[in-house]
């Protein structure tokens, strides 16, 4: 057994199974020097008092106050870090105009490492302050700035999975912002993988390289093939956008005579360490390919309401067996908060179920059995994210990584009162998920280490 160095005492909310909520009252969470949970001791255990005494004398002992609760740290599966300055901007434009006129000129600026450092440092802090402890990032085409993002995650204590973006097609991408050649795109990706692996050796919470073809339309066949080979060679994470919107889905169909999912699979880009953002136009056969290969969906509900032309059928895909987690998609989604994305995942699923055109007959308006509950959305933001990344994240249990957020329901600027009317614990979690703001996230721990403290 590894040495226990920290013990947390307090009540926990987590979801071990999609749709199931567990509340653990005033448990002890024993954490070893590697930041892994050694044991969770319930308050009716015979050794409970003895363990508290031992912890107070031998370990760092962290005890929650009245009105405070532990939640697992959130996992954000889809973020464009360089787009942080663009959050909330130009969302009235369609995706292609938004990309061409705003996003690409912005991403080009990250050739300037100072600018990259300033933006990325702020963004990682913003995520930690909202309880997001693990993030899968798209950076830009630039190796130096992309590596800088991985270094900033390492330094600030966030678990970062970072990709240097590949966009090499000379027709589809502007001259001012793309890889210089296919060969360079592949070589730079390999160099990036090696650099991040080297960096990750000394990072307790882990930083990981991610092979990142922006999306099929922006890459040549040769680049997609080369990246697929690298994924195999390094058993690396892969991320991209898949069947995000009508335009993208149709474009791939026209170029290859195949569906986006089939094309990505044939190039070797789908595997147990692959996360595909959006996936709104997946059919059942695509879902089977995701299951067979172990690929997960990064569901970005806010972004989808702007750019996707559809709502992801989360309930149907989960029932089929596909792994799904949540993503903010900064800045297709305007908010860096997974709390806001949990809310929007619920709301958009209900709109999908009910339908929107009141002139249609009631049962012809929507897609029945589509709604998800807020507890199901909570699962996506936590355990669902961990499953998608094949990492032991998202619940507070023996063997899992100790990533925690401390929620203060009595926070000065945003008290979450129920005036004693709703004693059920599930109601309390519902209130936390729907009403919490940055003010309620009091402390955040990654791999057992404090990485954010409110007001500090
Ligand atoms: N497809 C290709 N690039 C992007 C991007 O930056 N954001 C979104 N939402 N979709 C994309
Ligand atoms: Fe995206």
């Amino acid at each position: 057994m590894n040495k226990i160095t920290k013990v947390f005492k307090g009540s926990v909310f987590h979801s071990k199974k999609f749709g199931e909520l567990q509340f653990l009252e005033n448990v002890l969470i024993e954490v070893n020097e590697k930041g892994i949970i050694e044991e969770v001791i319930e308050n009716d255990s015979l050794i409970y008092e003895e363990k508290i005494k031992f912890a107070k004398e031998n370990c760092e002992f962290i005890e929650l106050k009245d009105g405070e609760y532990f939640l697992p740290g959130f996992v954000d599966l889809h973020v464009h870090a360089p787009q942080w300055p663009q959050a909330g901007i130009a969302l009235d434009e369609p995706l292609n105009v938004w990309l061409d006129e705003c996003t690409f000129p912005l991403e080009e600026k990250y050739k300037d490492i100072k600018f990259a450092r300033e933006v990325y440092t702020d963004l990682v802090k913003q995520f930690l302050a909202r309880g997001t402890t693990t993030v899968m990032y798209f950076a830009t085409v630039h190796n130096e700035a992309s590596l800088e993002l991985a270094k900033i995650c390492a330094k600030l204590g966030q678990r970062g999975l970072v990709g240097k973006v590949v966009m090499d097609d000379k027709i589809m991408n502007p001259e001012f912002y793309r890889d210089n050649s296919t060969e360079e795109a592949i070589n730079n990706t390999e160099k990036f993988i090696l650099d991040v692996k080297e960096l990750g050796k000394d990072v307790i919470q882990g930083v990981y390289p991610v092979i990142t073809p922006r999306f099929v339309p922006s890459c040549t066949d040769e680049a997609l093939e080369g990246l697929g080979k690298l994924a195999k060679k390094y058993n690396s994470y892969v991320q991209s956008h898949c069947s995000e919107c009508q335009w993208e889905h149709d474009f791939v169909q026209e170029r290859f005579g195949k569906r986006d999912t089939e094309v990505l699979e044939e190039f070797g880009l789908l595997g147990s360490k692959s996360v595909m953002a959006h996936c709104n136009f997946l059919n059942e056969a695509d879902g089977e390919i995701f299951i067979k290969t172990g690929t997960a969906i990064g569901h970005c509900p806010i972004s989808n309401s702007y750019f996707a032309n559809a709502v992801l059928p989360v309930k149907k895909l989960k029932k089929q067996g596909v792994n799904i987690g949540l993503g903010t998609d900064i800045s297709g989604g305007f908010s860096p908060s997974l709390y806001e994305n949990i809310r929007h995942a619920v709301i958009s699923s209900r709109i999908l179920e009910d339908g929107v055109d009141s002139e249609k007959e009631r049962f012809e308006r929507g897609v029945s059995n589509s709604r998800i509950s807020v507890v199901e959305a909570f699962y996506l933001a936590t355990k669902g994210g961990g499953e998608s990344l094949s990492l032991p994240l998202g619940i507070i249990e023996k063997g899992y990584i100790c990533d925690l957020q401390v929620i203060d329901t009595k926070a000065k600027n945003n008290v979450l009162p129920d005036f004693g009317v709703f004693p059920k614990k599930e109601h309390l979690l519902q209130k936390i998920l729907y009403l919490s703001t940055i003010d309620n996230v009091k402390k955040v721990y990654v791999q057992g280490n404090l990485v954010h403290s409110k007001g500090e």
Side-chain angles (χ1 to χ4, degrees):
M1 193 162 119
N2 289 297
K3 188 166 176 266
I4 291 163
T5 51
K6 273 185 197 144
V7 177
F8 296 86
K9 177 170 177 279
S11 296
V12 166
F13 283 106
H14 67 179
S15 173
K16 290 160 71 168
K17 253 182 92 180
F18 188 59
E20 286 181 18
L21 178 67
Q22 197 176 36
F23 177 72
L24 304 170
E25 184 147 21
N26 239 338
V27 289
L28 302 179
I29 307 163
E30 292 185 328
V31 181
N32 68 29
E33 64 228 298
K34 297 191 175 120
I36 308 294
I37 299 171
E38 281 281 343
E39 205 64 68
V40 176
I41 297 158
E42 306 229 7
N43 68 11
D44 59 357
S45 161
L46 293 174
I47 52 170
Y48 186 73
E49 293 301 333
E50 186 188 317
K51 286 279 188 181
I52 292 175
K53 186 167 179 292
F54 179 85
K56 283 183 174 167
E57 285 166 10
N58 299 284
C59 311
E60 193 182 334
F61 186 67
I62 299 135
E63 185 171 8
L64 295 195
K65 297 199 180 78
D66 190 36
E68 295 177 356
Y69 299 89
F70 288 121
L71 261 52
F74 286 156
V75 179
D76 189 334
L77 291 182
H78 187 57
V79 169
H80 297 266
Q83 294 174 17
W84 175 226
Q86 198 185 333
I89 290 174
L91 286 166
D92 296 325
E93 303 293 346
L95 180 62
N96 59 328
V97 176
W98 181 84
L99 283 173
D100 289 342
E101 292 184 8
C102 291
T103 311
F104 293 155
L106 169 60
E107 291 194 14
E108 188 265 340
K109 292 190 190 307
Y110 290 76
K111 63 180 187 298
D112 174 358
I113 193 76
K114 258 184 68 191
F115 179 68
R117 194 172 295 134
E118 184 187 347
V119 176
Y120 291 161
T121 301
D122 184 57
L123 179 61
V124 173
K125 287 182 180 170
Q126 296 278 357
F127 278 128
L128 291 173
R130 288 165 176 82
T132 301
T133 46
T134 301
V135 181
M136 197 170 205
Y137 290 105
F138 278 58
T140 58
V141 299
H142 317 98
N143 273 51
E144 195 189 4
S146 303
L147 186 60
E148 189 64 24
L149 174 57
K151 286 182 188 166
I152 288 165
C153 292
K155 188 168 131 204
L156 296 179
Q158 189 178 57
R159 188 171 303 98
L161 300 95
V162 182
K164 168 243 170 314
V165 173
V166 170
M167 38 197 293
D168 68 316
D169 191 298
K170 290 199 161 48
I171 295 164
M172 295 301 293
N173 302 298
E175 197 176 355
F176 67 84
Y177 183 58
R178 66 184 180 217
D179 293 289
N180 289 328
S181 70
T182 304
E183 200 189 355
E184 201 177 295
I186 294 168
N187 289 343
N188 283 349
T189 297
E190 185 159 22
K191 180 170 182 332
F192 183 73
I193 292 170
L194 296 170
D195 287 346
V196 177
K197 273 178 178 286
E198 187 58 33
L199 171 70
K201 281 182 184 162
D202 302 320
V203 180
I204 179 166
Q205 78 276 14
V207 289
Y208 304 87
V210 188
I211 290 172
T212 308
R214 185 171 202 119
F215 60 164
V216 169
S218 62
C219 298
T220 61
D221 292 15
E222 295 73 27
L224 294 168
E225 196 183 331
L227 295 180
K229 285 188 179 143
L230 286 182
K232 193 161 178 216
K233 181 171 174 188
Y234 291 100
N235 182 28
S236 168
Y237 284 102
V238 180
Q239 63 184 345
S240 193
H241 300 84
C242 176
S243 293
E244 176 179 3
C245 60
Q246 192 71 56
W247 171 83
E248 185 210 332
H249 187 71
D250 293 349
F251 180 94
V252 177
Q253 185 71 40
E254 262 176 43
R255 177 166 145 197
F256 291 95
K258 288 177 188 159
R259 300 173 63 80
D260 211 353
T261 301
E262 295 169 318
V263 171
L264 289 162
E265 188 194 14
E266 283 178 18
F267 282 118
L269 293 163
L270 300 188
S272 62
K273 290 167 89 177
S274 299
V275 176
M276 294 295 133
H278 306 292
C279 301
N280 298 294
F281 289 82
L282 256 54
N283 66 13
E284 203 173 321
D286 295 328
E288 286 310 309
I289 294 176
F290 271 55
I291 293 166
K292 181 182 78 184
T293 55
T295 304
I297 296 175
H299 174 33
C300 307
I302 295 181
S303 170
N304 286 348
S305 290
Y306 290 89
F307 292 143
N309 319 112
V311 174
L312 182 76
V314 174
K315 192 81 168 202
K316 190 166 83 183
L317 289 158
K318 276 300 292 177
K319 207 162 164 204
Q320 196 184 347
V322 180
N323 282 335
I324 307 178
L326 277 191
T328 55
D329 193 21
I330 287 290
S331 65
F334 55 80
S335 170
S337 165
L338 277 181
Y339 285 93
E340 296 232 28
N341 277 276
I342 285 172
R343 293 160 202 161
H344 204 72
V346 173
I347 293 168
S348 57
S349 76
R350 297 188 68 127
I351 293 173
L352 177 63
E353 179 164 310
D354 283 347
V356 290
D357 185 353
S358 63
E359 294 202 354
K360 288 205 171 133
E361 287 301 318
R362 182 172 173 190
F363 295 109
E364 285 167 11
R365 259 178 244 151
V367 183
S368 56
N369 299 320
S370 292
R371 66 169 68 182
I372 61 168
S373 69
V374 72
V375 169
E376 286 170 331
F378 175 55
Y379 179 92
L380 300 181
T382 52
K383 180 101 188 308
E387 281 167 352
S388 299
L389 299 175
S390 307
L391 291 172
L393 296 174
I395 58 172
I396 296 162
E397 188 167 279
K398 182 180 174 142
Y400 278 74
I401 296 172
C402 182
D403 289 357
L404 301 172
Q405 34 180 330
V406 176
I407 297 302
D408 181 5
T409 60
K410 298 184 174 181
K412 194 164 78 207
N413 292 331
N414 193 42
V415 186
L416 307 176
D418 65 6
F419 300 97
V421 182
F422 296 99
K424 272 201 205 159
K425 293 305 173 199
E426 181 158 355
H427 289 152
L428 174 58
L429 180 76
Q430 290 169 352
K431 188 171 274 284
I432 287 172
L433 294 176
Y434 276 120
L435 296 182
S436 288
T437 64
I438 197 167
D439 289 306
N440 301 98
V441 182
K442 188 173 175 185
K443 287 191 183 331
V444 179
Y445 296 85
V446 175
Q447 207 97 16
N449 291 324
L450 183 68
V451 295
H452 170 75
S453 189
K454 184 104 201 74
E456 282 170 30

